[in-house]
């Protein structure tokens, strides 16, 4: 009997996706696995446009649930970030069926809102490259990494620090900050919390780290690692600290161990971080 090809459903839960980008990702998957390519299905709602979003809230939620609850799909891969996942999060989490807990979810950035809620609901999730990353310089490498994780669970795609075996979770700083104290906040007791940020002022990173480390449940993590703080927005007054110095400061004053660097960020080197233990 022939092995069934893996089916990966692609959904834009936030900002719009384009057919051109989708075609590039599908071609990349076929080139990476020429003998047994996974079947990539892009939900047609992902190509809708409703202001800032890939369709209105109801359309994006239905697209997500069409893939998540369908037993024919092995994984749900977020098409891209942007903004909008929080607007559909509770709507989709309330309607998850048993099949939704049998598949892998992969994304980062704004998708972290849904990854947090899905992890809390018992689903298998991971922080890692999304389809839109193919438009970055060298983005084919990020797409290959994501596909090799989804299809083969290739160990070399992982963030290297995961080799110590401790459970971990990874988020964009501001995305994670904004779910704290909500029903989406997962229990990360004894986890390594890995954070990254992009295109923000250093003072905003400082404010965000204050909020994160002030949360009583976050203080139960085993430690914090820092991915890249990239494309820092310039400010008239120099903040006087680097992103790492900011994270070290808030880790120190809240007695959360700072464990060093991690290879994640809004770039093509972004590594896979499965939530929980590998």
């Amino acid at each position: 009997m022939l092995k069934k090809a893996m089916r990966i459903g692609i959904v834009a839960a936030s900002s719009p996706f384009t057919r051109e980008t989708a075609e590039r990702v599908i071609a990349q998957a076929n080139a990476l696995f020429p003998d047994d390519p996974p079947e990539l299905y892009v939900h047609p709602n992902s190509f809708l446009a409703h202001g800032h979003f890939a369709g209105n809230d109801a359309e994006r939620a239905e697209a997500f649930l069409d893939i998540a609850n369908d037993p024919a799909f092995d994984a749900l891969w977020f098409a891209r970030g942007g903004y909008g996942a929080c607007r559909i999060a509770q709507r989709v989490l309330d309607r998850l069926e048993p099949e939704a807990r049998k598949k892998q979810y992969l994304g980062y950035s704004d998708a972290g809102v849904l990854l947090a809620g899905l992890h809390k609901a018992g689903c298998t999730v991971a922080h890692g490259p999304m389809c839109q990353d193919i438009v970055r310089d060298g983005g084919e490498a990020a797409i290959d990494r994501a596909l090799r994780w989804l299809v083969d669970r290739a160990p070399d795609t992982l963030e290297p620090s995961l080799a110590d075996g401790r459970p971990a979770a990874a988020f964009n700083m501001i995305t994670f900050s904004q779910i704290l104290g909500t029903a989406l906040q997962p229990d990360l007791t004894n986890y390594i919390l890995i954070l990254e940020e992009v295109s923000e002022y250093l003072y905003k990173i400082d404010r965000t780290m204050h909020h994160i480390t002030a949360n009583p449940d976050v203080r139960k993590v085993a430690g914090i690692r820092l991915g890249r703080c990239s494309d820092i927005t310039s400010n008239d007054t120099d903040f006087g600290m680097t992103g790492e110095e900011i994270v070290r400061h808030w880790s120190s004053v809240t007695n959360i161990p700072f464990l060093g660097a991690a290879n994640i960020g809004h770039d093509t080197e972004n590594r896979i971080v499965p939530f929980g233990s590998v």
Side-chain angles (χ1 to χ4, degrees), residues 128-227:
M130 297 181 288
C131 300
Q132 187 71 13
D133 286 319
I134 201 169
V135 306
R136 301 180 187 272
D137 289 341
E140 292 84 359
I143 298 304
D144 284 358
R145 187 179 309 115
L147 287 166
R148 291 179 60 240
W149 166 253
L150 288 170
V151 175
D152 293 331
R153 295 293 189 271
D156 64 309
T157 65
L158 297 172
E159 152 54 26
S161 66
L162 301 180
D164 68 8
R166 290 188 287 180
F171 293 95
N172 169 264
M173 280 184 195
I174 289 179
T175 300
F176 183 63
S177 175
Q178 291 177 338
I179 66 172
L180 296 180
T182 74
L184 297 169
Q185 182 177 347
D187 180 4
L188 300 181
T189 301
N190 294 325
Y191 277 50
I192 307 301
L193 175 61
I194 307 177
L195 299 170
E196 55 85 21
E197 192 50 86
V198 64
S199 301
E200 295 292 352
Y201 293 101
L202 286 166
Y203 74 80
K204 192 168 184 180
I205 291 175
D206 189 69
R207 178 190 294 152
T208 302
M209 284 305 303
H210 161 256
H211 185 226
I212 288 173
T213 57
N215 183 275
D217 290 323
V218 171
R219 293 189 182 187
K220 298 175 184 176
V221 301
I224 292 176
R225 286 190 178 276
L226 179 63

Side-chain angles (χ1 to χ4, degrees), residues 19-187:
R19 295 183 188 278
E20 178 185 12
T21 304
E23 289 167 2
R24 288 182 63 186
V25 172
I26 292 168
Q28 185 74 18
N30 291 337
L32 181 63
F33 298 101
D35 298 325
D36 188 21
E39 180 184 346
L40 270 56
Y41 169 80
V42 184
H43 196 288
N45 282 11
S46 298
F47 304 126
L48 299 177
H50 182 81
H52 183 88
F53 309 112
N56 62 35
D57 293 349
E59 290 166 330
R60 296 196 320 284
E62 288 305 317
F64 184 94
L65 290 166
D66 282 349
I67 302 299
N69 289 336
D70 188 341
F73 290 98
D74 304 293
L76 186 153
W77 192 11
F78 287 89
R80 59 165 301 164
Y83 169 71
C86 66
R87 295 173 62 102
I88 67 170
Q90 204 57 55
R91 189 187 304 227
V92 303
L93 292 167
D94 288 345
R95 294 174 56 195
L96 292 179
E97 297 175 4
E99 286 296 334
R101 293 173 173 82
K102 299 178 182 179
K103 52 178 56 72
Q104 173 75 59
Y105 299 83
L106 180 66
Y108 73 107
S109 192
D110 191 59
V113 173
L114 282 165
L115 294 179
L118 290 164
H119 179 62
K120 186 174 182 179
C123 298
T124 303
V125 309
H127 166 111
M130 297 181 288
C131 300
Q132 187 71 13
D133 286 319
I134 201 169
V135 306
R136 301 180 187 272
D137 289 341
E140 292 84 359
I143 298 304
D144 284 358
R145 187 179 309 115
L147 287 166
R148 291 179 60 240
W149 166 253
L150 288 170
V151 175
D152 293 331
R153 295 293 189 271
D156 64 309
T157 65
L158 297 172
E159 152 54 26
S161 66
L162 301 180
D164 68 8
R166 290 188 287 180
F171 293 95
N172 169 264
M173 280 184 195
I174 289 179
T175 300
F176 183 63
S177 175
Q178 291 177 338
I179 66 172
L180 296 180
T182 74
L184 297 169
Q185 182 177 347
D187 180 4

